[in-house]
Amino acid sequence: MPFKCIISAFLCFIFSLNLSGQERIQKTFEGTINGTIPIVLTLTQDGSAVFGNVVYKKKGIPITVAGNIHEGMLFANELMADGTVTGTYSGEIKGETITGSWFAPKNNSKELKLNLRQTGSGNIARKPLPDLTGTYFYSFGKDNGSGELKIIQSDPSKITLSFDCINGPPAYNMAMINKTTLKLNGNVAVYENNEFGKCKIKLVFEANIVQVDYVGDAYACGFGNAASVVGNYIKIKNNKPVFESR
């Protein structure tokens, strides 16, 4: 095992990846929200990004989950097919457990305790990406922020995109990236811009999901105060989008 993995063994143990990129390890966790709501959470990590689904046992319907892991902490969102975020996860990964909180992004809702334990793991093959062309979206509700990502894939190694995001009250500040073309390397694209300082944003694709995050501390992108394009997006339209002229 590489020396760096020994130093951060608790992370490597939870979500180790096959370095060939052909297979990844999928892990299943079971437990409860608030001690009374049983769930099964299945996650596959791709770098710092995580993708999967959650099943509430009483309903039995899988809900898409996407997010990331930073410094041993899981941050993820539940995403409905229309982009509505129905729950957020914030949990510390220790050994085979995830403990933290779950929160529904509704007015006056409160955080509930999250307790999960790993119950299974296995290798899964990395599937080829579908055509990425379409419109991707997330929303925390009309008063809590949303984001739209438009993509046209012109060939297997190139995408053209734009972002249009807004945060919540009271300011409703904007974060936008106008139409730009990026190289697609496997399932990853990176946006860089030094107009306002160091800005570097990574997009990781998995089926109809995109996980968007800053690279390191390169977040001087010229967005409005507390506004960002960072987030978890789900494809809501497959047709070729029209980019706005700005």
Side-chain angles (χ1 to χ4, degrees), residues 113-124:
K113 288 184 179 180
L114 175 72
N115 288 284
L116 302 174
R117 179 171 292 277
Q118 182 183 318
T119 57
S121 67
N123 294 335
I124 61 168

Side-chain angles (χ1 to χ4, degrees), residues 58-235:
K58 292 181 180 179
K59 296 183 178 180
I61 302 172
I63 299 171
T64 297
V65 171
N68 56 52
I69 292 174
H70 284 300
E71 299 180 349
M73 292 292 296
L74 168 69
F75 303 97
N77 296 334
E78 297 174 3
L79 289 162
M80 304 302 287
D82 64 355
T84 299
V85 178
T86 55
T88 67
Y89 297 79
S90 176
E92 183 179 13
I93 301 168
K94 279 189 176 181
E96 295 187 343
T97 65
I98 300 176
T99 57
S101 61
W102 179 95
F103 175 77
K106 299 178 181 179
N107 293 333
N108 301 318
S109 59
K110 64 178 182 178
E111 291 187 355
L112 303 177
K113 288 184 179 180
L114 175 72
N115 288 284
L116 302 174
R117 179 171 292 277
Q118 182 183 318
T119 57
S121 67
N123 294 335
I124 61 168
R126 184 185 293 275
K127 297 180 181 179
L129 286 176
D131 185 357
L132 301 179
T133 297
T135 300
Y136 300 74
F137 185 70
Y138 74 82
S139 174
F140 288 95
K142 66 177 183 178
D143 293 324
N144 294 305
S146 63
E148 182 182 68
L149 167 61
K150 294 179 179 179
I151 295 178
I152 295 176
Q153 184 172 8
S154 52
D155 64 52
S157 62
K158 187 185 298 183
I159 58 173
T160 299
L161 60 76
S162 70
F163 283 95
D164 192 351
C165 304
I166 186 170
N167 66 2
Y172 296 99
N173 288 318
M174 303 291 293
M176 294 184 291
I177 295 177
N178 294 332
K179 179 182 176 182
T180 187
T181 299
L182 304 178
K183 179 181 179 181
L184 183 65
N185 184 9
N187 68 326
V188 175
V190 177
Y191 169 85
E192 294 188 68
N193 190 324
N194 297 318
E195 181 179 356
F196 302 98
K198 192 175 182 181
C199 174
K200 190 173 184 180
I201 296 169
K202 181 170 71 172
L203 297 83
V204 183
F205 294 88
E206 174 77 10
N208 64 333
I209 305 296
V210 190
Q211 207 287 314
V212 181
D213 203 358
Y214 292 116
V215 177
D217 60 355
Y219 46 77
C221 301
F223 303 142
N225 184 40
S228 175
V229 301
V230 167
N232 308 299
Y233 299 72
I234 190 168
K235 184 186 279 192

Side-chain angles (χ1 to χ4, degrees), residues 41-56:
L41 180 66
T42 302
L43 296 174
T44 302
Q45 188 175 2
D46 196 334
S48 61
V50 289
F51 304 96
N53 65 69
V54 62
V55 175
Y56 289 79

